[in-house]
Amino acid sequence: MLIQAHLGFAQLHRLELSKADYDLLSAMMDVQRPGGEVNASQAELRALVGLSKNRTSIAMNHLVERNIVLRPEGHYRSYFIHPFFAGYASQEEMEEALREATEAIKVGDLAAPALPAPQRHLSAVPTRRSA
């Protein structure tokens, strides 16, 4: 059983995740290795939670956009759960990973979990008046 950082989970509600986002994240947490590495395809994760292919893709994009899940360049079937949400083998490993992640965020080497980008609605677009 892995140790999770409670502070990260306490902030998940602020990231505006859908039920599908939570379900997919839960499946990823279930199969992660210590430190948050997930070696599973979207199809494998989808089978764990019963989402459609399209809904799984949308949920994964939400998790990546919000920096909850990190997608390494050039790695097929490999994801990393952000260190603030990942599971660890020991308290010491978790504390060290959180310290390193905090420093990496400060220097710009790691993105912090973030709210979704604001959506532009047609009501926000100025209308053109005809003369």
Side-chain angles (χ1 to χ4, degrees), residues 58-127:
I58 291 168
M60 183 63 77
N61 284 334
H62 288 167
L63 295 172
V64 170
E65 287 170 358
R66 290 167 177 88
N67 304 316
I68 298 166
V69 171
L70 310 171
R71 206 181 260 170
E73 298 264 339
H75 288 92
Y76 173 71
R77 294 175 36 118
S78 185
Y79 303 92
F80 283 90
I81 298 171
H82 192 285
F84 287 0
F85 306 106
Y88 300 95
S90 69
Q91 182 75 27
E92 294 79 22
E93 182 183 324
M94 180 183 70
E95 290 172 0
E96 181 181 341
L98 294 177
R99 269 193 305 275
E100 290 175 0
T102 301
E103 275 303 309
I105 289 170
K106 285 180 184 175
V107 299
D109 291 339
L110 177 66
L115 288 171
Q119 298 292 315
R120 283 193 65 149
H121 297 282
L122 289 178
S123 62
V125 178
T127 57

Side-chain angles (χ1 to χ4, degrees), residues 12-54:
L12 270 177
H13 72 281
R14 296 176 188 234
L15 300 178
E16 301 178 15
L17 300 176
S18 70
K19 182 182 179 322
D21 300 345
Y22 275 110
D23 289 348
L24 185 59
L25 180 60
S26 177
M28 294 178 81
M29 290 179 159
D30 193 38
V31 299
Q32 73 176 310
R33 294 182 180 157
E37 183 178 6
V38 176
N39 288 319
S41 68
Q42 285 190 22
E44 292 166 331
L45 295 169
R46 179 174 72 241
L48 292 174
V49 294
L51 295 173
S52 70
K53 183 177 182 177
N54 187 46

